[in-house]
Amino acid sequence: MTINYKQIWILFFLYIIENSYALEIIRDPIFEDYFIDISNDLKLDIIDVYLIKDKSANAFVIEDNIYFTTGLLEKINDEETLKSIYLHEYGHIINNHFQSKKIKIQQSNSDSVFYNIFSVGLAVISKNTSIGIGSSITLNSNLISEISKHSVNFEIEADSFMVNQIKKNQINTQELITFLKEIAEPNSLYFSTHPRTSDRINHLEKLSYKKLTNSSKFEWIKAKYSKNSNNESFNIFFKDLEKGIFNENIKPKKMNKLLLKYEAFKKGIFINDWEDKFENLLNINNNSFLKIEYINYLLDNNLERKYYIIDKFKFNKKLMSEYFYYYLYGKYYNNINNENLSNFYFCQFYNAINSKNKADFYCDKYDINYIPTLDKSYAIFK
């Protein structure tokens, strides 16, 4: 049995150009889960969506993943605008535009130039074990600049998909039209290489659908990254968290209390009986990175009575595509004194990130004959 490691190869083997500026990927399970809800509402296949910490308003596609910047979230006030932009990027994916562009660049440049343009780096930013694992990946800013530039034909195809979906789902485009008018500014990045803005606006102005109220989850995300949502209780909650203030007895309207405690936990605030609450959170949010954080929390706090959960998650396909998967299972087997499996998993991890000295150290310290068949079948390196 094999796994599609396309995503892993991209993340693990392409490194940031030395001394270049990198943009942090924010792994936010609530944000990522929100787009699963959107896909379900729009009756679309689930696509992974990630958040980039960057002040510019931008969105782009890498492989089969969509990326939004925090600057875009700050700029947008209507949920339906975000849906429309999501649909545009989704149109790039279903039309295979990233692959087409990649092939074209490969044909016209050397491999070294190609990998410099499409470089992805690795960075672990959190060393606070009480919080757990922080954001694990960064993107080279050159990558975003290049990915944002598509041919006009690509943009017309993506727009066509977006407009068809807008009609099908009766999505209000009022703010989107305003947004498009603003992108004509010289400093604007998003849609900068798209078809003529006037043509696009004229097309959208023919569509007129009732404006809907933003969902609570949209307002929550908006408040988290801009402190300027329409829900003032959400804004106050996140402003207080920035000051290290968390009152468990205060519950902003329409948000599950477990999500509030998770946000406080991420800020390093102590939460009573968090291991149980954290486990309950997984019942309402099935995000794979959230599972990674939970496993790390159990290991860092030596919560052996919960280790059966780590075994339960072990061969979860989505979990296995996460950056820290092999590292955490190396850590897990070290905690339970299974040195052979621990070294095997650390060997996988350090080989994957091309850390040769550490890879050589761990790869020489296990006997493959004592590695279970299933573990071996999923290994990247034999």
Side-chain angles (χ1 to χ4, degrees), residues 78-229:
D78 293 347
E79 184 171 22
E80 290 172 295
T81 305
L82 187 61
K83 286 182 181 179
S84 297
I85 295 174
Y86 170 71
L87 288 167
H88 176 90
E89 300 306 325
Y90 196 102
H92 282 307
I93 291 176
I94 64 170
N95 285 293
N96 213 28
H97 291 158
F98 179 87
Q99 293 300 328
S100 298
K101 182 172 184 178
K102 186 165 71 172
I103 291 169
K104 183 177 180 181
I105 290 177
Q106 283 176 312
Q107 290 173 341
S108 61
N109 297 276
S110 67
D111 285 345
S112 62
V113 173
F114 170 76
Y115 286 121
N116 280 342
I117 292 174
F118 292 99
S119 61
V120 179
L122 311 171
V124 180
I125 67 166
S126 174
K127 297 181 181 179
N128 186 339
T129 57
S130 67
I131 296 176
I133 293 174
S135 302
S136 61
I137 304 163
T138 59
L139 293 179
N140 188 297
S141 57
N142 292 339
L143 168 69
I144 294 177
S145 177
E146 289 299 319
I147 291 297
S148 297
K149 300 173 185 176
H150 290 304
S151 72
V152 172
N153 287 337
F154 284 178
E155 299 306 331
I156 290 173
E157 289 179 342
D159 270 359
S160 178
F161 177 82
M162 175 185 74
V163 169
N164 287 336
Q165 289 294 317
I166 286 174
K167 292 177 180 177
K168 179 180 178 180
N169 296 281
Q170 298 188 353
I171 297 172
N172 181 274
T173 58
Q174 182 178 348
E175 188 189 47
L176 178 62
I177 291 170
T178 302
F179 183 52
L180 287 172
K181 289 177 179 178
E182 292 176 357
I183 61 154
E185 297 174 4
N187 295 329
S188 176
L189 180 59
Y190 190 67
F191 283 142
S192 59
T193 59
H194 291 48
R196 286 196 308 173
T197 301
S198 59
D199 292 340
R200 308 175 85 205
I201 290 173
N202 290 338
H203 198 66
L204 289 171
E205 284 179 337
K206 296 176 183 178
L207 308 175
S208 180
Y209 301 111
K210 181 181 177 181
K211 184 177 177 180
L212 302 178
T213 303
N214 294 336
S215 69
S216 295
K217 194 172 283 189
F218 172 85
E219 295 293 359
W220 182 257
I221 293 167
K222 173 77 172 167
K224 184 174 182 178
Y225 295 105
S226 73
K227 312 296 188 295
N228 190 30
S229 83

Side-chain angles (χ1 to χ4, degrees), residues 313-324:
F313 288 159
K314 184 174 177 181
F315 295 117
N316 178 285
K317 188 174 180 179
K318 284 289 289 182
L319 191 72
M320 294 178 76
S321 69
E322 289 287 349
Y323 171 71
F324 277 106

Side-chain angles (χ1 to χ4, degrees), residues 30 38 65 78 137 225 259 273 285 307 342:
I30 300 171
I38 285 181
N65 305 318
D78 293 347
I137 304 163
Y225 295 105
L259 296 177
D273 302 319
N285 188 311
Y307 278 7
S342 176

Side-chain angles (χ1 to χ4, degrees), residues 206-300:
K206 296 176 183 178
L207 308 175
S208 180
Y209 301 111
K210 181 181 177 181
K211 184 177 177 180
L212 302 178
T213 303
N214 294 336
S215 69
S216 295
K217 194 172 283 189
F218 172 85
E219 295 293 359
W220 182 257
I221 293 167
K222 173 77 172 167
K224 184 174 182 178
Y225 295 105
S226 73
K227 312 296 188 295
N228 190 30
S229 83
N230 293 318
N231 188 318
E232 189 57 30
S233 67
F234 289 179
N235 296 330
I236 293 170
F237 174 79
F238 283 108
K239 287 176 182 177
D240 284 346
L241 275 189
E242 291 295 327
K243 302 172 186 175
I245 300 170
F246 174 62
N247 185 342
E248 292 196 37
N249 297 319
I250 295 177
K251 180 182 177 183
K253 296 178 181 179
K254 299 182 180 180
M255 286 305 292
N256 189 297
K257 202 165 186 175
L258 288 172
L259 296 177
L260 275 62
K261 292 183 177 182
Y262 172 74
E263 299 292 357
F265 161 74
K266 291 290 286 184
K267 288 294 184 181
I269 296 172
F270 176 77
I271 307 294
N272 289 321
D273 302 319
W274 180 235
E275 63 269 21
D276 295 321
K277 294 182 176 68
F278 207 157
E279 184 180 356
N280 291 335
L281 180 59
L282 294 173
N283 293 326
I284 65 171
N285 188 311
N286 198 36
N287 181 272
S288 57
F289 188 73
L290 191 64
K291 290 187 176 76
I292 287 287
E293 290 184 302
Y294 183 54
I295 290 172
N296 191 64
Y297 178 83
L298 297 180
L299 294 173
D300 280 347

